[in-house]
Amino acid sequence: MAGKPPAIQPPRIGVLALQGAFREHRRLLESLGSTVQEVRLPADLAGLDGLILPGGESTTMAHLLTEYGLWEPIRGFSAGGGAIWGTCAGAILLAREVRGAPPQFGGRQDSLYLLDATVQRNAFGRQINSFAAPLPVQGLDTPFPAVFIRAPAFSEVGAAAAVLAHWEGQAVMLRQGNILATAFHPELTNDSRLHEFFLKMAVKSPESVQI
Ligand code: GLN
């Protein structure tokens, strides 16, 4: 008698849930069948295949990452092969350099230094300049409905990172091995293509996955 085929484990994805749009990521991931763990403490990273850093307010998130002792555990998660996707404020947290931090913090802001890029906060203007646009993304057949809310842009991109999308001449989506960064908010749309892509990154060896 033929044995049962091996059960396919749905990927386990963590969503950093200190502040910001984590519930929206959770909703989309669950609609795709993945198991979601809200991450607030280092122990929450155990057993995850991928981690999403959501949009929100990056200065606040940076303070909370210090408060909860999460900087090193997240770097360790990445070094151990875990996939990480930062959206908007989350993308700011990934960069090796952050420009445009508030002057009351001396214009400086801590980050994870995982992404070979400099990020410019609020690169498209203030809240009132937020917008949605059909964004051509490398590897997608049709444009992605991108929502930019006080969005950053990657003002300098190092050799290790590949640009997957530009808007108005600015780099707004990067991929570097097991790291993905979008300046916009795919979790605020009903288009799940980028979440599906991230799930593939999280369960396979990153180099083998093309968008
Ligand atoms: N401008 C915000 C910041 O710098 C990011 C905005 C967002 O995540 N929608 O943290």
Side-chain angles (χ1 to χ4, degrees), residues 18-156:
L18 301 176
Q19 190 267 338
F22 57 89
R23 291 180 194 84
E24 291 79 359
H25 276 295
R26 176 171 201 149
R27 173 188 61 83
L28 244 167
L29 290 165
E30 286 176 344
S31 79
L32 296 172
S34 67
T35 306
V36 177
Q37 168 72 52
E38 293 188 0
V39 172
R40 295 187 180 84
L41 294 169
D44 297 330
L45 294 166
L48 299 180
D49 300 301
L51 173 67
I52 292 183
L53 311 176
E57 215 290 315
S58 60
T59 313
T60 307
M61 280 191 213
H63 283 298
L64 292 171
L65 285 170
T66 302
E67 191 85 8
Y68 289 92
L70 276 163
W71 290 109
E72 279 311 315
I74 292 176
R75 289 187 189 108
F77 176 76
S78 176
I84 304 189
W85 179 13
T87 60
C88 203
I92 296 168
L93 295 174
L94 285 171
R96 66 166 147 67
E97 191 183 341
V98 180
R99 300 234 172 101
Q104 60 267 40
F105 301 111
R108 275 199 42 77
Q109 185 165 311
D110 279 337
S111 60
L112 289 160
Y113 315 113
L114 291 173
L115 180 65
D116 188 14
T118 298
V119 70
Q120 174 67 50
R121 292 181 59 181
N122 304 320
F124 299 94
R126 302 162 61 113
Q127 184 78 16
I128 194 168
N129 306 114
S130 298
F131 61 99
L135 179 74
V137 172
Q138 194 181 304
L140 295 185
D141 293 343
T142 56
F144 191 85
V147 178
F148 291 85
I149 302 171
R150 288 194 304 124
F154 305 103
S155 50
E156 285 163 38

Side-chain angles (χ1 to χ4, degrees), residues 4-9:
K4 277 194 201 162
I8 297 168
Q9 291 287 329

